[in-house]
């Protein structure tokens, strides 16, 4: 009998796209948080990512193309994940009662991942579309203006929480699924892995929320928290 390899291939594709997005986010949130080192640090980092160090000037098209590639991977990952969503009310109810009965931590984590993933369908799409179409606005002044006066702070607040939780649970489950840290005592390994993932996520969450606060501060006061003036004006 011929084996059907499609489900295994789709699973692998989901793991690989998820891992690529998680690695991207690990760098993205650090670059974003350069605002904590002041407006000039963020200006330098965002300029460097737009080719300033190589071409002597910013090339916004680089951001448009790169954001397009990330968007495509994000859509592929979300599409593959839809296979795992409960498909009707009966499946939904069955899973909920199963979860309550079992009170199994990892099953509840899966539920958290489904909901944070669902929220990101909308939240991340808005963000990615803006990054693709308005790359020239990225910078301490433009980003702060967007966050405060174009009301992006509630979107970023929710997106930050959703993406960090989603990536944390995703990486933990990926490590278990592909047996990355297996050893003599799998139960102990699992607990250590869980702890490590939660600690790293808490650090990322604190850093990113502080960065969001720094953008809001610049938007409202016209200066960063070191007192450097930033001209936050409508574009
Ligand atoms: C190549 C694609 C991307 C680019 C160029 C980009 C760029 C940026 C920039 C410049 C900011 C600072 C605020 C602003 O200017 O609006 C930001 C913030 C943020 N981005 Fe992205 N982004 C990309 C993809 C993503 C993706 C895929 C996600 C999540 C699924 C994401 C999540 C966030 C979050 C949560 C914040 C706010 C962080 C905070 O709390 O300080 N970004 N992004």
């Amino acid at each position: 009998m011929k084996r059907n390899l499609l489900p295994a291939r789709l699973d692998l594709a989901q793991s690989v796209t998820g891992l690529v997005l998680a690695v991207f986010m690990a760098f993205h949130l650090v670059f974003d948080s350069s605002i904590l080192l002041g407006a000039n640090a963020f200006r330098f980092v965002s300029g460097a990512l737009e080719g300033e160090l190589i071409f002597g000037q910013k090339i916004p098209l680089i951001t448009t193309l790169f954001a397009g590639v990330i968007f495509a991977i994000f859509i592929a990952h979300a599409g593959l994940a839809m296979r795992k969503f409960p498909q009707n009310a009966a499946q939904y109810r069955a899973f909920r009662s199963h979860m309550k009965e079992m009170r199994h931590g990892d099953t509840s984590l899966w539920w958290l991942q489904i909901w944070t993933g669902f929220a990101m369908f909308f939240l991340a799409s808005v963000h990615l579309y803006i990054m693709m179409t308005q790359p020239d606005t990225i910078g301490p002044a433009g980003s702060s203006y967007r966050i405060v006066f174009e009301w992006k702070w509630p979107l970023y607040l929710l997106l930050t929480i959703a993406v960090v939780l989603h990536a944390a649970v995703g990486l933990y489950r990926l490590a278990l699924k592909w047996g990355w840290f297996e050893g003599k005592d799998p139960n102990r390994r699992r607990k250590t892995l869980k702890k490590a993932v939660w600690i790293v996520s808490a650090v990322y969450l604190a850093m990113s929320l502080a960065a969001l606060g720094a953008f809001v501060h610049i938007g409202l006061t016209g200066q960063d928290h070191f007192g450097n003036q930033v001209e936050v004006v409508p574009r």
Side-chain angles (χ1 to χ4, degrees), residues 180-197:
W180 288 344
F181 301 100
E182 264 170 18
K184 274 187 206 136
D185 186 350
N187 263 340
R188 236 184 85 203
R189 288 272 164 139
R190 180 186 280 242
K191 275 193 191 133
T192 315
L193 179 65
K194 212 178 222 172
K195 210 190 241 171
V197 168

Side-chain angles (χ1 to χ4, degrees), residues 102-203:
M102 294 236 306
R103 287 178 184 279
H104 180 238
D106 285 7
T107 312
S108 309
L109 282 184
W110 182 82
W111 197 235
L112 178 67
Q113 213 190 5
I114 289 274
W115 280 109
T116 49
F118 181 69
M120 281 200 292
F121 270 122
F122 314 102
L123 303 172
S125 296
V126 175
H127 175 53
L128 278 162
Y129 193 75
I130 294 172
M131 291 300 116
M132 274 179 77
T133 53
Q134 303 174 11
D136 48 319
T137 61
I138 297 172
S143 298
S144 302
Y145 184 84
R146 181 181 11 263
I147 287 172
V148 174
F149 299 105
E150 291 177 351
W151 281 90
K152 294 301 172 310
W153 67 265
L155 181 109
Y156 286 162
L157 183 61
L158 295 175
L159 183 57
T160 303
I161 296 169
V163 77
V164 172
L165 286 178
H166 190 87
V169 178
L171 285 174
Y172 168 70
R173 287 164 46 85
L174 215 58
L176 290 186
K177 181 169 189 167
W178 301 102
W180 288 344
F181 301 100
E182 264 170 18
K184 274 187 206 136
D185 186 350
N187 263 340
R188 236 184 85 203
R189 288 272 164 139
R190 180 186 280 242
K191 275 193 191 133
T192 315
L193 179 65
K194 212 178 222 172
K195 210 190 241 171
V197 168
W198 284 127
I199 290 172
V200 173
S201 310
V203 170

Side-chain angles (χ1 to χ4, degrees), residues 9-100:
R9 288 200 177 120
L10 293 178
D11 243 20
L12 182 64
Q14 191 175 359
S15 295
V16 171
T17 50
L19 186 61
V20 170
L21 289 171
V23 171
F24 165 76
M25 276 322 290
F27 283 98
H28 175 10
L29 290 179
V30 169
F31 292 149
D32 173 74
S33 300
S34 62
I35 194 69
L36 294 171
L37 302 177
N40 286 336
F42 188 75
R43 193 174 290 118
F44 174 80
V45 170
S46 53
L49 292 171
E50 280 193 336
E52 206 168 22
L53 299 182
I54 301 170
F55 304 108
Q57 63 178 58
K58 283 198 202 179
I59 315 276
L61 185 65
I62 295 178
T63 305
T64 300
L65 294 177
F66 190 66
V69 171
I70 295 292
F71 212 169
I73 299 174
F74 173 76
I75 292 169
H77 184 70
L80 288 161
M82 278 177 63
R83 296 170 304 141
K84 307 276 173 77
F85 277 64
Q87 301 293 321
N88 53 41
Q91 276 186 14
Y92 183 92
R93 271 197 309 272
F95 183 82
R96 291 277 303 167
S97 65
H98 173 73
M99 189 170 82
K100 275 190 197 143

